[in-house]
Amino acid sequence: MTNAEMLLPHAALARALQEKILAKLPLALAKGRALNFIPYTVRDGEWAEGPFDRICWWTNGFWPALMWEAYLLTGEEPYRLEAQRAEEMLDEAFRDIDHLHHDVGFMWLISAGAQYRLLGTDASRKRMLLAANLLAGRFNPAGFIRAWNGEENAGWAIIDSMMNLSLLYHATDLTGDPRFASIAMRHADTAMRCFIRPDGSSNHIVVFDPRTMAVLDTPAGQGCAPGSQWSRGQAWALYGFTLSHLHTGRADYLATARLVADHFIAMAKQNDWVPKCDFCQSPDDPLVDACAGAIAASGLIELARASGDPRYCDSGAHILRALDERCSDWSASSPAILTRCTGSYHGNDHEIAMVYADFFYVEAVRKLLGDSFLFW
Ligand code: GLY
């Protein structure tokens, strides 16, 4: 089916959500534009920053990315100016190498990368390529991009990194140098082999022997228990394999994205389309992660476009509707849209707003409206 045919049944939902988003984004901007930090969550009705790592906090690219989303939806200059101001604030992170990590794609692909691709800004191209070199530098030639820092983590890889691979694919497109894409594919191949289980669920973390690639452990990570299914990790896998397919044309990445998506859909349906924080948590445990839902919705709409299968678009729309009805704050009392996001199952950040949840929500709605610009 064509993308336009798949989107047609959801046109009224897309327009209704667009209207609500356009009414809310001016408040997000008004409360964010004068800050000397980059918003992460909301406390007492005001934007608040990430809990540690200051400018290197891994979600800091999502604020400028949200502003680019707003600019794409409205064409209004104040959003562009705030996206550019935040991108410049991020330059300080390039000088804090001890705190930079595997999430440099989240930080620079959707901020500088978006600006370069939308406006052709040369300084943004340089930032994007510097970030791609930092990510490539984290590659262990045994076959994976390592997560986090410190000697004790030398063999750690996480499913989240599937989303950062797009930075490397774009770097190859920009420079003509195949090394970046080849690192991305080596990592994706490892993730396909060592993270994804036969039922379509994924480990969050795999600990390898950094020399031999022997699997040493698969800890719970941000999920509830070893062997469990942290829903945001499942969403990163769904969207990440879809993106690796889009950048490489490889059928095995598409098949993996579909396997993960089918499992995600079955699990999300069990809770009326708002994903539990971990698909293996106790059935009486009500903890959800609206952010996992927003990431998955955007990934599913992309997967529908890539595969021509309308079930994925329909499921993405179900999630967006459920998030609107049960996990959103459209009032003026908070600058953020989504509520009920979870940092990690065992952490303290439960039932909070998160700037990246709003980014993926707005991205998904923009796709449902038929816009095809892809930040990734
Ligand atoms: N990349 C970490 C997270 O999803 O919380």
Side-chain angles (χ1 to χ4, degrees):
M1 210 184 255
T2 67
N3 196 40
E5 286 165 342
M6 288 189 283
L7 294 176
L8 199 58
H10 308 296
L13 174 68
R15 276 196 303 275
L17 294 179
Q18 178 190 30
E19 205 172 301
K20 289 181 178 185
I21 286 169
L22 291 180
K24 183 80 176 198
L25 285 172
L27 182 64
L29 173 65
K31 296 226 177 220
R33 74 199 304 183
L35 299 174
N36 63 0
F37 62 85
I38 296 186
Y40 162 61
T41 186
V42 174
R43 253 176 249 122
D44 303 323
E46 303 294 335
W47 286 121
E49 67 186 320
F52 46 83
D53 280 354
R54 310 284 306 189
I55 195 66
C56 294
W57 177 242
W58 71 277
T59 71
N60 279 350
F62 285 98
W63 170 250
L66 180 63
M67 294 296 102
W68 285 121
E69 282 290 351
Y71 179 70
L72 285 173
L73 285 172
T74 64
E76 290 172 11
E77 291 296 285
Y79 293 117
R80 174 181 67 77
L81 293 172
E82 178 58 14
Q84 289 171 324
R85 185 184 80 98
E87 183 183 321
E88 282 166 22
M89 283 170 82
L90 278 176
D91 282 350
E92 189 194 330
F94 280 129
R95 295 187 287 276
D96 192 3
I97 191 77
D98 286 344
H99 291 102
L100 279 181
H101 37 63
H102 53 271
D103 280 331
V104 291
F106 285 142
M107 292 178 74
W108 282 287
L109 175 62
I110 57 177
S111 58
Q115 172 159 200
Y116 174 65
R117 287 166 56 230
L118 289 169
L119 305 181
T121 312
D122 196 52
S124 300
R125 179 188 63 84
K126 289 180 179 144
R127 290 183 180 109
M128 190 180 154
L129 285 180
L130 183 50
N133 276 284
L134 289 171
L135 187 57
R138 302 185 70 86
F139 181 64
N140 179 329
F144 65 96
I145 292 172
R146 63 163 291 179
W148 298 301
N149 300 329
E151 209 177 316
E152 68 283 10
N153 294 322
W156 286 48
I158 57 175
I159 195 64
D160 322 28
S161 290
M162 284 303 301
M163 289 298 288
N164 285 296
L165 301 185
S166 292
L167 176 65
L168 299 174
Y169 296 125
H170 278 286
T172 285
D173 291 346
L174 259 179
T175 60
D177 185 334
R179 289 175 301 161
F180 298 104
S182 128
I183 287 172
M185 285 189 281
R186 287 284 306 282
H187 182 87
D189 293 349
T190 295
M192 211 161 39
R193 203 175 61 249
C194 302
F195 282 73
I196 306 301
R197 309 178 185 121
D199 66 357
S201 68
S202 173
N203 284 304
H204 178 201
I205 300 173
V206 175
V207 181
F208 296 105
D209 179 314
R211 288 174 188 81
T212 65
M213 284 289 284
V215 173
L216 303 179
D217 197 7
T218 53
Q222 284 160 253
C224 68
S228 73
Q229 301 174 18
W230 175 52
S231 63
R232 196 157 68 246
Q234 315 307 303
W236 293 139
L238 186 172
Y239 202 165
F241 277 104
T242 302
L243 293 171
S244 270
H245 164 70
L246 288 176
H247 283 286
T248 64
R250 275 181 51 179
D252 51 350
Y253 294 155
L254 180 62
T256 304
R258 292 184 72 131
L259 179 72
V260 174
D262 292 345
H263 182 71
F264 193 100
I265 290 167
M267 294 295 119
K269 231 173 173 170
Q270 286 179 10
N271 198 41
D272 289 333
W273 299 103
V274 174
K276 291 278 183 88
C277 172
D278 192 310
F279 294 144
C280 296
Q281 73 199 41
S282 149
D284 350 311
D285 181 343
L287 188 65
V288 297
D289 183 13
C291 183
I295 297 161
S298 192
L300 284 165
I301 297 168
E302 203 59 52
L303 180 57
R305 191 164 23 204
S307 64
D309 186 338
R311 285 183 313 119
Y312 298 128
C313 189
D314 297 344
S315 302
H318 278 304
I319 294 174
L320 292 178
R321 190 188 296 278
L323 294 180
D324 171 35
E325 289 169 356
R326 286 154 53 206
C327 306
S328 296
D329 178 350
W330 299 108
S331 77
S333 58
S334 164
I337 298 169
L338 286 182
T339 58
R340 311 198 65 198
C341 301
T342 299
S344 66
Y345 186 85
H346 292 291
N348 297 321
D349 280 352
H350 288 185
E351 300 281 340
I352 63 165
M354 300 199 301
V355 70
Y356 62 111
D358 281 13
F359 165 81
F360 283 106
Y361 195 65
V362 175
E363 181 185 64
V365 170
R366 183 174 51 79
K367 289 181 190 175
L368 205 64
L369 287 162
D371 191 283
S372 61
F373 180 80
L374 186 59
F375 280 68
W376 308 94

